[in-house]
Amino acid sequence: MQLVGPFSGLESFVRENEPLAPHTWYRIGGPAKWFVQPRSVEELKDAAIRCVENGIQIYVLGLGANLLVGDDGVNGAVFRLDADHWKTAEINGINVEVGAGADMQKLVLKTVRAGLAGVECLAGIPGTIGGGIRMNAGGKFGDLGAVVTRVTVMAADGTIFDRTKDDLVFDYRSTNISAPFILGATLELDEEDPDRIMKRTKEIWMYKRNTQPLNAKNCGCIFKNPRGLSAGALIDQAGLKGMVIGGAEVSTKHANFIIAHPGCKADDVMRLVKIIREKVWEKNQIHLESEVKVWA
Ligand SMILES: Cc1cc2nc3c(=O)[nH]c(=O)nc-3n(C[C@H](O)[C@H](O)[C@H](O)COP(=O)(O)OP(=O)(O)OC[C@H]3O[C@@H](n4cnc5c(N)ncnc54)[C@H](O)[C@@H]3O)c2cc1C
């Protein structure tokens, strides 16, 4: 369809009023005013510059596995790097050059089969490399940041540059990358017997399957663990496991997960988040900080 306005002429990769729910793990939330799926760096630059020129807020979406989109959606441009160009993963010795749109689970399998260890800690964590780097995805078995030696990023004005290991900081579910677009990265892995890495990968996957509600609609952990404590245990101790608001429920398997049942609204999840924060504060005087990114 012909677009008029800020993205006119870019209709081959920009859509207006795109529902975001199908693009997120939660499957809830409203539409994006603009939805941009560039197939090349040039298209990405073109659309980003249009955003800057027209004062349109930029959002970047991976697999939406750590995301809660509000029911009214997003009044801005949501970029998704899911064209083939962004999904490459090339192994050169112990280094892997990987695009931001590459699926973390596929990368785990590919590297394990190649006898390269270092990303098996991501087994069972849904997402793209871009989202994984932004969030420093991981857990008790390690995190993605530990193997990243270079990240290529793009500023909103289209300037592309590399951030290298010496100036990158990966912390608990965060990084010091401020550029809006992560385009790709180099990972440095370790050679190891593929069977041994596969065994470890399966153990990590089993651990996650046994402790997290992987088959229900959710967005991973809602809150960060505060000061070495477990947010899930604090929520459990406040007696909130199984609590239901509308279609949202505190998981009975892991209290730091909120499940979205059929008909659930983003607002149900947000109300439950507010109640959890209040109750945990009342009981322990601990403020729970969001891990999930909220676009509302
Ligand atoms: C069942 C389940 C289990 C989970 N378990 C874990 C776990 O054990 N450990 C863990 O760390 N996480 C976990 N998560 C959360 C999630 O998997 C990770 O945070 C993952 O890294 C999100 O990646 P994504 O591509 O889906 O990012 P999204 O959710 O789409 O986005 C997350 C953030 O990254 C930004 N982003 C995404 N792509 C780019 C890009 N190319 N450039 C710039 N910014 C970008 C977004 O703007 C947003 O701020 C879990 C989620 C689920 C649903």
Side-chain angles (χ1 to χ4, degrees), residues 45-267:
K45 273 188 192 179
D46 274 0
I49 289 168
R50 300 274 187 111
C51 290
V52 174
E53 287 170 352
N54 293 281
I56 295 172
Q57 192 168 342
I58 291 172
Y59 298 82
V60 188
L61 175 67
L63 277 191
N66 194 61
L67 200 61
L68 174 60
V69 177
D71 292 319
D72 293 336
V74 171
N75 185 15
V78 173
F79 285 72
R80 192 162 202 218
L81 306 184
D82 61 350
D84 288 348
H85 176 80
W86 311 105
K87 293 199 207 167
T88 52
E90 271 177 41
I91 297 178
N92 300 315
I94 58 167
N95 294 306
V96 187
E97 304 292 331
V98 64
D103 182 294
M104 290 199 291
Q105 294 314 296
K106 289 188 181 154
L107 183 73
V108 170
L109 273 184
K110 184 170 178 137
T111 52
V112 170
R113 284 184 185 136
L116 292 172
V119 290
E120 65 277 12
C121 59
L122 302 175
I125 303 181
T128 60
I129 285 294
I133 288 177
R134 174 70 84 211
M135 298 305 303
N136 189 20
K140 64 184 280 188
F141 302 100
D143 56 49
L144 180 54
V147 297
V148 172
T149 56
R150 182 193 56 87
V151 180
T152 303
V153 298
M154 193 184 95
D157 67 2
T159 315
I160 292 178
F161 53 99
D162 280 351
R163 299 283 307 267
T164 46
K165 198 172 175 175
D166 42 323
D167 85 316
L168 283 170
V169 178
F170 287 98
D171 217 327
Y172 172 49
R173 301 294 88 80
S174 69
T175 68
N176 63 345
I177 296 171
S178 54
F181 300 99
I182 293 166
L183 306 188
T186 306
L187 314 180
E188 189 181 291
L189 305 180
D190 292 315
E191 281 177 357
E192 205 185 311
D193 172 46
D195 292 341
R196 277 182 48 194
I197 320 173
M198 184 55 89
K199 185 167 176 283
R200 215 162 47 238
T201 306
K202 282 184 181 158
E203 284 165 6
I204 293 170
W205 164 247
M206 290 296 281
Y207 172 84
K208 280 193 68 76
R209 207 188 60 177
N210 291 336
T211 54
Q212 298 182 357
L214 298 187
N215 292 328
K217 290 193 178 98
N218 65 74
C219 62
C221 288
I222 290 280
F223 302 106
K224 291 186 177 176
N225 290 323
R227 288 180 262 125
L229 298 169
S230 154
L234 290 168
I235 299 166
D236 194 4
Q237 284 155 20
L240 300 172
K241 248 187 184 173
M243 183 176 192
V244 173
I245 296 284
E249 180 187 1
V250 178
S251 166
T252 50
K253 195 165 191 181
H254 190 316
N256 199 9
F257 284 65
I258 294 181
I259 308 296
H261 292 295
C264 181
K265 297 280 176 204
D267 192 51

